[in-house]
C-alpha cells in the first residue's frame, strides 16, 4: 500500500475508535434510540439525493439497514446508555468477526477451518474474561446488549456479503434510510415523547456535533474511505487495520473520559484482538476460502459463488472532550472503568 493510503487506513481506524467516545458524549444529551435515529437520518439526508442507489436488490438494502442500523446500533447505544464503558464497548463489538463466521457457516454453508476455529475460541475466551471483569464492577445488562449488538453486526455482515454491493458508501447511505422510522417509533414507545422533545428542545452545538460526527465522519467518510481502500487493494492488505479500532477506542476513552483499564481488561483485549485476527486472517487471508479458511459447501445464488469483499469493520464510534450531563434528559448510570 502507498504511504498515503496506509495513513488513510489508520485515520479511518482512529475515526471509528474515537466514535465510541462521541457516542458516550451524545448519550449525555439524547435517549439512545432517538440518538441512533438522528444519526441515520443525517447520514441518509441529503446524501441520497446526490448518490445514486447501488445496483443491489431492494431487499438487501432494507435488510441491512434494519439489522445493522436498527438492531445492531440500537442495542449498542442502549448498552452504552446503561453504563457499558466506551472503551470496553469498542473492544467487545469486535467479536462480530466470530459471529460472522458462525452465521456464515449456518446460513451460507461456509465451514471454518481448524485455524479459524482456534481463533474463534480464543476470541470467545477474551469475551469471557471481559465479562468477568465487567460483572465485578459494571452493568451486566449493558455488557449483554453490546455482545448482542456484535451478533447482529455479524448477521448484517452476512447479508452484506449476499448483497455484494459494488460501492460501500452508496450502499450504506441508502441503507441508512430504513432504520430511521422504526427507531423513532421505538423511541416514542420506550423512551417517551417527553424525553425526546426535551432532548430536541435543548439541542446545543455539542449535541449537534455528536450527531454530525457519528453520521458524516464515521458513516459517510469512514465507509467511503474504507470502500475506496478495498477497491484499490486486496482485502487482506486493508482489513488488518480494523484491529486498530479497539486500540484507539480504549486509549481515547482512557484519555478523554478517564476510563481505567484493569489487568483483566488488558488480558481480555489481548485474547479478543488476537482471536479476531486469527479468525479473520488465518489461512488464506480475508475473503478467501482456501486451506485453513472458510470452506464453502454451497454456491451463493446472489454472488455466483464469488467471495465479495468483507464488510467494513464498523462505525460504532467517538471523539471529543467530556461533556457535562444535561439536565433535560434522565441521568443514566456512569460507566465504570
Amino acid at each position: 500500500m502507498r504511504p498515503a493510503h496506509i495513513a488513510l487506513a489508520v485515520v479511518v481506524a482512529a475515526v471509528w475508535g474515537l466514535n465510541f467516545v462521541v457516542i458516550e458524549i451524545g448519550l449525555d444529551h439524547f435517549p439512545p434510540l432517538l440518538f441512533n435515529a438522528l444519526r441515520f437520518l443525517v447520514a441518509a439526508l441529503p446524501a441520497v439525493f446526490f448518490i445514486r442507489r447501488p445496483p443491489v436488490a431492494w431487499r438487501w438494502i432494507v435488510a441491512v439497514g434494519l439489522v445493522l442500523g436498527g438492531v445492531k446500533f440500537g442495542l449498542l447505544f442502549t448498552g452504552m446508555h446503561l453504563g457499558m464503558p466506551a472503551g470496553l464497548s469498542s473492544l467487545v463489538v469486535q467479536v462480530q468477526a466470530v459471529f460472522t463466521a458462525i452465521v456464515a457457516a449456518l446460513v451460507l454453508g461456509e465451514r471454518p477451518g481448524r485455524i479459524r476455529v482456534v481463533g474463534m475460541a480464543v476470541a470467545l475466551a477474551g469475551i469471557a474474561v471481559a465479562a468477568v471483569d465487567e460483572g465485578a464492577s459494571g452493568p451486566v445488562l449493558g455488557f449483554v446488549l453490546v455482545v448482542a449488538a456484535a451478533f447482529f453486526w455479524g448477521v448484517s455482515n452476512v447479508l452484506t456479503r449476499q448483497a455484494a454491493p459494488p460501492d460501500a458508501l452508496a450502499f450504506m447511505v441508502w441503507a441508512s434510510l430504513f432504520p430511521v422510522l422504526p427507531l423513532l417509533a421505538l423511541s416514542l414507545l420506550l423512551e417517551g415523547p417527553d424525553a425526546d422533545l426535551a432532548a430536541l428542545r435543548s439541542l446545543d452545538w455539542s449535541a449537534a456535533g455528536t450527531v454530525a460526527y457519528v453520521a458524516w465522519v464515521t458513516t459517510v467518510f469512514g465507509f467511503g474511505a474504507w470502500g475506496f481502500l478495498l477497491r484499490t487493494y486486496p482485502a487482506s492488505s486493508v482489513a488488518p487495520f480494523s484491529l486498530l479500532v479497539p486500540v484507539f477506542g480504549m486509549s481515547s476513552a482512557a484519555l478523554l473520559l478517564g476510563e481505567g483499564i484493569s489487568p483483566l481488561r488488558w488480558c481480555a483485549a489481548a485474547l479478543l484482538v488476537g482471536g479476531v485476527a486469527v479468525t479473520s486472517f488465518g489461512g488464506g487471508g480475508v475473503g478467501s476460502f482456501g486451506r485453513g479458511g472458510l470452506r464453502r459447501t454451497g454456491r451463493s445464488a446472489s454472488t455466483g459463488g464469488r467471495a465479495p469483499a468483507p464488510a467494513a469493520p464498523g462505525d460504532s464510534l467517538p471523539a471529543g472532550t467530556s461533556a457535562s450531563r444535561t439536565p433535560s434528559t434522565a441521568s443514566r448510570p456512569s460507566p465504570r472503568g
Side-chain angles (χ1 to χ4, degrees):
M1 293 177 63
R2 293 173 53 186
H5 292 162
I6 292 175
L8 179 61
V10 173
V11 168
V12 172
V15 162
W16 281 337
L18 286 170
N19 188 55
F20 288 92
V21 174
V22 172
I23 293 172
E24 186 73 32
I25 295 171
L27 289 172
D28 285 332
H29 185 90
F30 299 104
L33 297 178
L34 176 65
F35 188 19
N36 202 26
L38 293 174
R39 173 257 185 92
F40 284 104
L41 176 65
V42 174
L45 299 177
V48 292
F49 297 113
F50 302 99
I51 296 177
R52 181 176 300 179
R53 182 175 72 86
V56 174
W58 276 110
R59 68 181 183 275
W60 299 121
I61 298 175
V62 174
V64 171
L66 292 177
V67 174
L68 179 66
V71 182
K72 183 263 181 174
F73 281 108
L75 290 169
L76 175 67
F77 280 39
T78 303
M80 292 181 65
H81 173 77
L82 293 176
M84 181 69 171
L88 185 60
S89 297
S90 73
L91 174 67
V92 169
V93 293
Q94 299 308 315
V95 78
Q96 58 85 18
V98 174
F99 289 132
T100 300
I102 293 172
V103 174
L106 295 175
V107 176
L108 304 181
E110 294 176 353
R111 184 163 54 88
R114 286 188 294 272
I115 294 176
R116 280 195 166 97
V117 169
V118 170
M120 291 162 64
V122 172
L124 290 175
I127 289 293
V129 172
V132 170
D133 180 51
E134 187 64 10
S137 59
V140 175
L141 180 58
F143 183 90
V144 171
L145 291 180
V146 172
V147 173
F151 170 78
F152 282 101
W153 189 359
V155 173
S156 72
N157 284 342
V158 173
L159 291 171
T160 302
R161 289 183 48 156
Q162 290 287 83
D167 186 336
L169 173 60
F171 185 73
M172 190 62 201
V173 166
W174 279 83
S176 295
L177 278 172
F178 295 96
V180 176
L181 290 180
L183 285 167
L184 285 175
L186 285 172
S187 179
L188 289 172
L189 179 64
L190 301 176
E191 296 165 344
D194 291 342
D196 289 351
L197 288 174
L200 294 175
R201 285 171 178 166
S202 62
L203 188 68
D204 56 19
W205 286 107
S206 174
T210 62
V211 175
Y213 186 96
V214 298
W216 292 332
V217 180
T218 66
T219 303
V220 177
F221 165 74
F223 274 93
W226 194 260
F228 163 77
L229 292 170
L230 285 174
R231 289 193 301 271
T232 306
Y233 299 99
S236 57
S237 298
V238 178
F241 288 95
S242 69
L243 297 177
L244 293 175
V245 172
V247 175
F248 285 112
M250 295 180 71
S251 59
S252 62
L255 290 172
L256 301 176
L257 301 178
E259 290 183 5
I261 305 178
S262 67
L264 268 182
R265 194 164 298 178
W266 280 118
C267 179
L271 289 171
L272 210 158
V273 172
V276 166
V278 173
T279 300
S280 301
F281 315 117
V286 174
S288 69
F289 300 95
R291 186 183 305 274
L294 293 173
R295 297 183 177 88
R296 185 183 295 274
T297 59
R299 183 180 176 89
S300 169
S302 65
T303 62
R306 128 184 108 82
D315 68 339
S316 349
L317 333 208
T321 58
S322 61
S324 60
R325 197 177 309 281
T326 59
S328 61
T329 58
S331 63
R332 60 192 175 87
S334 299
R336 302 188 183 185

